[in-house]
Amino acid sequence: MLALSNPLTRALRRLEGPIDPTMNRQFAAQERRTLMLAGWCQVAVALSVIVLFAFSSGFPLAWQGVAFALAFAVLGIARVRLMKQRRASLLTIYPIVFLEAALIASAIIIPNPFNDTPWPRQAVLRLDNDVFFHLLIAAAAFSYRPALVLWTALCCAVCWLSVSLWVLNLPDTVTFSSVPDLNDGVALRIFLEPTFVARGTMIVDVATMLLLGALLAGAVWRARLVVRRQLRTRLEQSRVQSIFGQFVPNDVIPELVASGGALQAVERDASIMMVDIEGFSQLVARKPPQEVYRFITSFFDDCGAIIAKHNGVVFSLQGDAVLAAFNVPREAEGFVDHAVAAACAIVDHCAANTFSGQRIAVRVGIGTGPVVAGIVGDRGRHDYTVYGESVNRAARLQVHNKVEGTRILIDEATARRLDARTGEGLGVQARGAQTLPGFAEPMAIYAVAAMVVPQPASVEAI
């Protein structure tokens, strides 16, 4: 019987599909913890049975029950000790399960030597003693191993069938088939005999055990499939994050995993934000690289958190600049308001805080219009980025803050779609039509008045 357990386990795992080594280790660790817990529960149940026998039957009549309960507790402790040994295979639990089923069968069939008036052996098949095997099968479901559930059901069925066949072949056993001329009156008289055994009941008991094991194994297997799918998705997301996290926004990772890496490009209107540190080149020239690294990392962390709070997505970190988008790859209602609010929050945050002891100031440009966001690249190197004229406008507006003496400049499309109350509260000011580098035609630009720098610009990143 034990030889069947390993092929059965392999067959069920093939049905579950490919198994990731990391996921398999997690399952094995969980199975060990569950089997250890089941072992301790088994000890607790055995001790409870000892107390029950002691108070209900008294001694010496209770000695047989106490002995079997102690043996059951020993098997529970053996489970725990085996599962604590990491080198021990989970298959070592299978012989213990067989011993537990055999122990239950022995406790049922062996007469109590301390009982002066023992019941006939045939009575054990008429007192629903098979329920103890059902409990053992149900407890096996907590192992989270379908093969172990099936193995337990098979062991219980074999042990109960062995007991039944032994009782059936006792010389004094009476069955319906032992009477040649059976009628209703004779059948009732035979049924009431203390040594009567019903073959049909014996078959039903064994079949019930096997069916219960199959149903529970199916339920456990189904649950494992669901958990494995969830774990597989999380592992894939984690791997995508570790591999592509430096250039793929967190927002697109679930879709990237679901699509198997074939992420479709997204085209829609969006607000693009470009944030740049003022005087960064001079700062780098004066500071050791480690200090620059610490403060720029701190700045990027805080800046990314503010953008995320306003439903934006950081697309890339370019030197000392941050490129973020609002409304791609995910849709965000009121994305223009969110973009301007995030810009104001970033400027305010930089004015009120230091980054690893370094005080800095930033310039922000925002452009709104149709863009395309998607994965580009070839030969193993890819990037998730955004394209569109509004991206160029945001970059040029950010630089043009130097000329205007401002902190935040937005284009006409952003100003036009900005909520009127938001724009009024921020005191958005028209700065006229300006010709920006890279654009042939002048464009209307607007400044957030609350973020206008007194002329001449006095804030220096030091």
Side-chain angles (χ1 to χ4, degrees):
M1 291 174 61
L2 183 58
L4 295 174
S5 62
N6 203 24
L8 185 60
T9 301
R10 290 198 298 267
L12 289 172
R13 285 184 174 177
R14 280 196 296 270
L15 289 174
E16 291 178 0
I19 301 176
D20 184 274
T22 302
M23 187 169 16
N24 197 34
R25 287 194 296 270
Q26 292 178 355
F27 260 85
Q30 185 61 42
E31 287 168 350
R32 285 182 181 275
R33 287 192 291 267
T34 306
L35 289 171
M36 288 174 60
L37 179 61
W40 287 122
C41 290
Q42 185 169 318
V43 173
V45 170
L47 294 178
S48 301
V49 170
I50 291 174
V51 174
L52 178 64
F53 272 111
F55 281 95
S56 62
S57 302
F59 294 97
L61 189 61
W63 279 120
Q64 186 192 38
V66 169
F68 279 111
L70 284 175
F72 205 66
V74 169
L75 290 176
I77 295 174
R79 278 179 178 248
V80 175
R81 293 184 64 85
L82 278 173
M83 291 303 100
K84 280 186 176 181
Q85 301 175 11
R86 293 188 177 182
R87 294 184 178 180
S89 171
L90 290 173
L91 293 177
T92 56
I93 207 71
Y94 286 77
I96 294 180
V97 171
F98 180 77
L99 290 176
E100 290 168 350
L103 183 64
I104 294 176
S106 301
I108 293 172
I109 198 62
I110 295 177
N112 190 340
F114 302 100
N115 191 352
D116 296 332
T117 56
W119 284 46
R121 291 300 84 203
Q122 292 81 356
V124 300
L125 302 184
R126 306 179 65 178
L127 297 176
D128 295 328
N129 286 308
D130 58 308
V131 70
F132 297 106
F133 293 107
H134 295 164
L135 293 175
L136 186 62
I137 297 170
F142 289 96
S143 68
Y144 222 57
R145 291 176 66 88
L148 185 59
V149 178
L150 291 175
W151 170 256
T152 304
L154 183 60
C155 291
C156 291
V158 169
C159 289
W160 185 242
L161 181 62
S162 301
V163 168
S164 301
L165 290 176
W166 181 78
V167 172
L168 188 64
N169 288 282
L170 290 176
D172 58 341
T173 297
V174 178
T175 64
F176 287 132
S177 61
S178 62
V179 179
D181 299 323
L182 188 65
N183 55 53
D184 292 343
V186 174
L188 180 60
R189 181 177 58 81
I190 293 175
F191 180 79
L192 295 177
E193 286 288 333
T195 58
F196 171 76
V197 172
R199 295 175 183 266
T201 302
M202 177 184 70
I203 296 173
V204 169
D205 289 343
V206 173
T208 301
M209 293 179 193
L210 294 175
L211 182 60
L212 175 62
L215 291 174
L216 286 177
V220 170
W221 175 67
R222 177 61 182 168
R224 282 172 66 97
L225 282 181
V226 174
V227 174
R228 282 189 181 279
R229 289 193 186 109
Q230 293 177 343
L231 284 176
R232 188 177 293 114
T233 299
R234 291 182 181 179
L235 285 171
E236 289 174 351
Q237 288 182 354
S238 177
R239 287 170 181 165
V240 170
Q241 178 67 55
S242 63
I243 296 172
F244 300 106
Q246 297 180 17
F247 54 86
V248 177
N250 290 334
D251 303 65
V252 306
I253 288 179
E255 186 179 350
L256 186 62
V257 172
S259 63
L263 189 63
Q264 297 297 319
V266 176
E267 182 176 3
R268 69 168 68 100
D269 282 356
S271 290
I272 306 300
M273 174 194 292
M274 182 68 75
V275 183
D276 188 77
I277 297 176
E278 187 179 76
F280 184 73
S281 298
Q282 294 86 347
L283 178 62
V284 171
R286 296 196 305 267
K287 297 290 183 179
Q290 281 294 340
E291 289 188 26
V292 175
Y293 171 80
R294 283 195 297 269
F295 95 76
I296 196 68
T297 300
S298 177
F299 165 72
F300 283 152
D301 288 343
D302 291 2
C303 193
I306 293 172
I307 291 170
K309 182 180 178 181
H310 289 83
N311 296 328
V313 174
V314 175
F315 269 72
S316 64
L317 306 175
Q318 305 168 358
D320 63 318
V322 178
L323 174 64
F326 298 78
N327 208 40
V328 286
R330 63 182 181 190
E331 293 189 72
E333 186 177 353
F335 62 90
V336 174
D337 291 354
H338 283 303
V340 176
C344 295
I346 290 171
V347 173
D348 286 342
H349 184 75
C350 292
N353 297 275
T354 61
F355 304 89
S356 290
Q358 180 65 49
R359 185 169 295 279
I360 62 174
V362 296
R363 294 185 292 263
V364 184
I366 299 176
T368 298
V371 298
V372 174
I375 293 179
V376 295
D378 194 10
R379 297 184 180 179
R381 184 174 181 84
H382 300 84
D383 192 12
Y384 189 86
T385 188
V386 60
Y387 290 98
E389 189 181 78
S390 55
V391 180
N392 297 332
R393 285 202 303 271
R396 299 303 182 184
L397 288 170
Q398 177 275 124
V399 176
H400 197 67
N401 278 293
K402 298 179 183 179
V403 178
E404 297 293 325
T406 53
R407 290 281 171 229
I408 302 174
L409 285 178
I410 61 178
D411 65 358
E412 185 176 12
T414 304
R416 188 173 61 250
R417 298 178 65 166
L418 189 63
D419 184 85
R421 289 174 296 179
T422 303
E424 184 179 351
L426 296 176
V428 175
Q429 299 177 348
R431 288 288 175 132
Q434 305 284 338
T435 302
L436 302 182
F439 291 89
E441 300 294 331
M443 69 177 67
I445 64 174
Y446 297 78
V448 178
M451 300 301 164
V452 174
V453 181
Q455 294 290 344
S458 59
V459 178
E460 183 185 2
I462 57 174

